[in-house]
Amino acid sequence: MSSSTRSAPPDLASSGSSTPPRLAAVPLISHQYRTVCVWILDKRALLEARVRAGLSKAAEDSFFDIIRADTSRLVRLRHPGVVHVIQALDENKNAMAMVTEPSFEEWEMGLLEVKHGLLQIAESLDFLHNNACLIHRGISLEAVLINLSGAWKLGGFGFAISADKSSTDPSTVQPFHYSEYDVEDSLLPLQPSLNYTAPELIRTKAPSFGRFPDIFSFACLAYHLIAKKSLFDCHNNVKMYMNKLTYLSSEAFSSIPPELVTDLKRMLSPNEALRPSALDFTDKGLKQETIACQNILCSPVVQLLYFIRSMSMIAVKTVLPPLCAEVRNMVMQPMILPMVLKIADSQDKVDFETSTLPALVPVLSTAAGETLLLLVKHAELVVNKASQEHLVSHVLPMLVRAYDDTDVRMQEEVLKKTVSLATKLDPQLVKQLILPRVHGLALKTTVAAVRVNALLCFGDMIMVLDKPAILEILQTIQRCTAVDHSAPTLMCTLGVANSILKKELSQHSLSSLIPLSASLLGTLPKHDDPMT
């Protein structure tokens, strides 16, 4: 089967199946989206797999019917919480294809983001039950997708039915049939995952159930996302499933936040009438804690700080714009700037230059004190992602201010970042703006750590400097060792001399530098300690 770096939509992949039918996602350009996903199912490959598995042609046809039902409902449902179809299902004898907004299934996320996402799914379920009059019947981990902006979307409508139909004529709603012993996942998933299915859907005679099966499945989904494991891991064995449901213990909820346990247990009740609505659950257990996500920059500082510390990299597309908008806020800056820099570390150069750097430019130009120190510590991040123009216009002036700062911590940090910047700049700029300041720190400081870092900086820069610049470094080193005979300074001096000899040997031009290097080494004081 063809596969993709993007996960297949749940309606075309068996829940938990190791070898389900897969769709190949092809990025395209559209008017509404910069990229889209084209999901393609190869019928010929599926036929070959079905024959090898010994499955019937009727099973294959039923599977295609599930796909058609799913895509048909997705096209008709217009809601922010439902996967957006850009082009409806196109089918011929060899393949099926559908175009949707870009979306993913597998993201790492923290508890706060899970709660925020569950709130979105609950709102989508409320829309299905009360407006679209649909019962989803396939809510599972695979039915939830997340788009590029971090919004949670509901898909997998292949098993959905009309709520009105299930209430007025229960006989038309057939129960699902699961095995009473452990079985492997099917190549053709013709029923929802048993790990998420409500018990009334697997009884011999299905009663009138309305929205209640979705509430049960939603609780299983919430449990899985919060506890990081399935509540009913039953290997498609209905007896094991019913046994776990009957003897569900409090210990099973030990990894669930206490404020959610009571309502989750109600949602999992075998008695459908006891289950609350999805919004009842979120109103009590989720909505208050996710307000920081929805109104991040309108929240009190304490809430915002909690949000920043709790979120993982999954929500960067959602939170980065408002964070960047407030990065110049002097009150919020100590909390916001570290988060922006953390997010920037995960971006590629294009994303960084288009979304993050414009917000950082004013800060780079005016930063001082602790803010400047923070930026210098993360200077390599900016240096590696910014263009040459931005390096010269914004990063270099910031580091020049750091060289001239009297804070010893600042001096040490900027010296450590010098080489990464110098290798990306024009040599003339390095000679004019950077080297004189490194010379000044090496000669004027009274702090050993600053002098050592300056000498280490010289040694690392030798390979990118010309002969006059190297001669100036040798002269500075001579002046340093004339007044500082400490072991760290002498060892760094030997390191610089070694770097010079390596460069000159590689260039076969020793005549002018070796005498000066030898003179320098001859002036070093002799110590009994072999390390010096």
Side-chain angles (χ1 to χ4, degrees):
M1 279 311 202
S2 60
S3 61
S4 168
T5 54
R6 300 175 192 254
S7 302
D11 52 302
L12 298 182
S14 174
S15 301
S17 174
S18 58
T19 57
R22 285 291 178 185
L23 291 171
V26 183
L28 297 175
I29 303 298
S30 75
H31 295 295
Q32 185 172 357
Y33 298 95
R34 291 179 59 188
T35 60
V36 299
C37 281
V38 180
W39 304 105
I40 303 173
L41 177 64
D42 188 334
K43 288 184 177 181
R44 293 168 298 182
L46 180 61
L47 171 61
E48 294 173 2
R50 175 183 66 76
V51 172
R52 288 195 300 268
L55 298 175
S56 68
K57 177 67 165 59
E60 180 181 325
D61 291 340
S62 296
F63 178 65
F64 289 150
D65 287 341
I66 291 173
I67 295 175
R68 295 180 188 113
D70 177 17
T71 56
S72 175
R73 291 188 179 98
L74 282 176
V75 169
R76 293 198 303 269
L77 290 170
R78 296 292 182 180
H79 186 267
V82 175
V83 175
H84 181 212
V85 176
I86 299 172
Q87 183 170 322
L89 184 70
D90 189 11
E91 181 178 0
N92 59 35
K93 65 178 182 179
N94 295 323
M96 288 179 164
M98 178 177 66
V99 182
T100 71
E101 62 178 310
S103 53
F104 305 87
E105 283 180 340
E106 298 177 2
W107 280 13
E108 292 296 326
M109 62 193 76
L111 178 60
L112 186 60
E113 289 168 289
V114 168
K115 290 181 176 181
H116 182 51
L118 289 173
L119 179 61
Q120 296 176 64
I121 297 301
E123 292 170 347
S124 300
L125 283 178
D126 181 69
F127 163 76
L128 292 181
H129 297 160
N130 297 315
N131 298 94
C133 294
L134 278 180
I135 310 300
H136 190 286
R137 301 202 308 167
I139 302 295
S140 68
L141 197 63
E142 290 77 17
V144 176
L145 295 93
I146 304 175
N147 71 7
L148 296 180
S149 298
W152 289 39
K153 302 279 186 161
L154 202 53
F157 286 86
F159 304 108
I161 60 171
S162 167
D164 294 334
K165 185 177 181 180
S166 69
S167 300
T168 58
D169 188 6
S171 63
T172 62
V173 182
Q174 297 299 317
F176 298 112
H177 298 284
Y178 297 91
S179 174
E180 295 190 354
Y181 51 88
D182 290 6
V183 295
E184 295 294 329
D185 292 320
S186 173
L187 173 70
L188 301 173
L190 303 180
Q191 53 198 14
S193 168
L194 183 55
N195 289 348
Y196 300 88
T197 302
E200 60 267 25
L201 293 185
I202 59 177
R203 294 171 182 158
T204 304
K205 294 181 179 180
S208 175
F209 45 72
R211 60 176 169 80
F212 300 116
D214 285 352
I215 302 303
F216 185 96
S217 300
F218 180 56
C220 293
L221 172 69
Y223 183 97
H224 197 155
L225 289 169
I226 296 171
K228 310 297 184 185
K229 61 182 180 181
S230 176
L231 180 60
F232 302 106
D233 190 8
C234 53
H235 308 287
N236 296 314
N237 183 329
V238 73
K239 283 188 174 181
M240 182 185 296
Y241 166 90
M242 293 303 298
N243 185 64
K244 288 188 174 185
L245 177 62
T246 302
Y247 299 103
L248 203 57
S249 66
S250 297
E251 185 180 352
F253 295 88
S254 59
S255 56
I256 302 297
E259 67 274 13
L260 302 180
V261 171
T262 299
D263 283 328
L264 271 181
K265 287 183 176 179
R266 289 179 59 212
M267 296 167 73
L268 292 165
S269 172
N271 185 344
E272 306 97 282
L274 297 179
R275 297 174 197 161
S277 70
L279 288 185
D280 286 341
F281 168 61
T282 58
D283 281 342
K284 294 178 181 178
L286 302 180
K287 193 165 287 186
Q288 291 304 314
E289 286 201 49
T290 57
I291 192 172
C293 294
Q294 296 170 305
N295 303 288
I296 175 174
L297 295 173
C298 300
S299 303
V301 173
V302 174
Q303 275 186 304
L304 179 57
L305 181 59
Y306 172 70
F307 174 81
I308 290 174
R309 289 177 176 172
S310 300
M311 67 169 265
S312 67
M313 294 308 297
I314 194 66
V316 298
K317 299 258 182 201
T318 304
V319 303
L320 184 58
L323 286 176
C324 286
E326 291 294 317
V327 77
R328 284 187 287 177
N329 185 321
M330 299 305 293
V331 176
M332 304 302 298
Q333 196 175 79
M335 292 177 288
I336 291 178
L337 187 56
M339 195 64 235
V340 171
L341 293 172
K342 180 181 178 183
I343 293 173
D345 193 40
S346 69
Q347 294 181 296
D348 59 28
K349 294 185 69 171
V350 174
D351 282 345
F352 176 77
E353 287 209 325
T354 56
S355 62
T356 305
L357 187 57
L360 288 179
V361 164
V363 184
L364 294 174
S365 303
T366 60
E370 295 298 322
T371 300
L372 179 58
L373 180 60
L374 177 65
L375 289 170
V376 171
K377 286 181 177 179
H378 291 82
E380 284 181 328
L381 183 159
V382 184
V383 167
N384 291 332
K385 296 179 185 290
S387 66
Q388 182 78 11
E389 179 184 355
H390 285 121
L391 287 180
V392 175
S393 301
H394 308 297
V395 182
L396 181 56
M398 178 195 75
L399 293 181
V400 166
R401 296 202 310 277
Y403 286 117
D404 298 338
D405 200 286
T406 57
D407 188 331
V408 171
R409 299 173 302 161
M410 194 87 70
Q411 295 171 351
E412 286 186 62
E413 286 295 335
V414 74
L415 287 168
K416 293 176 184 177
K417 303 301 186 293
T418 296
V419 177
S420 62
L421 177 64
T423 56
K424 296 180 181 293
L425 291 176
D426 181 87
Q428 279 302 115
L429 280 176
V430 175
K431 291 178 66 174
Q432 292 173 6
L433 297 175
I434 295 180
L435 272 182
R437 288 173 167 82
V438 179
H439 283 289
L441 290 175
L443 293 170
K444 298 175 184 178
T445 186
T446 58
V447 179
V450 174
R451 179 175 289 116
V452 166
N453 277 292
L455 296 175
L456 290 173
C457 182
F458 282 143
D460 291 336
M461 292 177 66
I462 291 298
M463 296 305 292
V464 299
L465 297 177
D466 58 17
K467 196 169 297 182
I470 294 175
L471 288 172
E472 291 179 5
I473 288 176
L474 287 171
Q475 292 167 359
T476 293
I477 290 176
Q478 284 183 314
R479 293 173 62 186
C480 288
T481 53
V483 297
D484 183 357
H485 299 160
S486 65
T489 296
L490 298 179
M491 290 298 292
C492 289
T493 298
L494 290 173
V496 174
N498 185 50
S499 296
I500 293 173
L501 291 175
K502 284 182 179 179
K503 176 173 182 175
E504 293 306 310
L505 283 171
S506 67
Q507 296 182 355
H508 306 290
S509 177
L510 307 174
S511 57
S512 60
L513 290 177
I514 282 186
L516 187 54
S517 298
S519 172
L520 168 63
L521 296 175
T523 64
L524 298 180
K526 295 180 175 57
H527 290 263
D528 293 333
D529 186 349
M531 291 299 295
T532 61

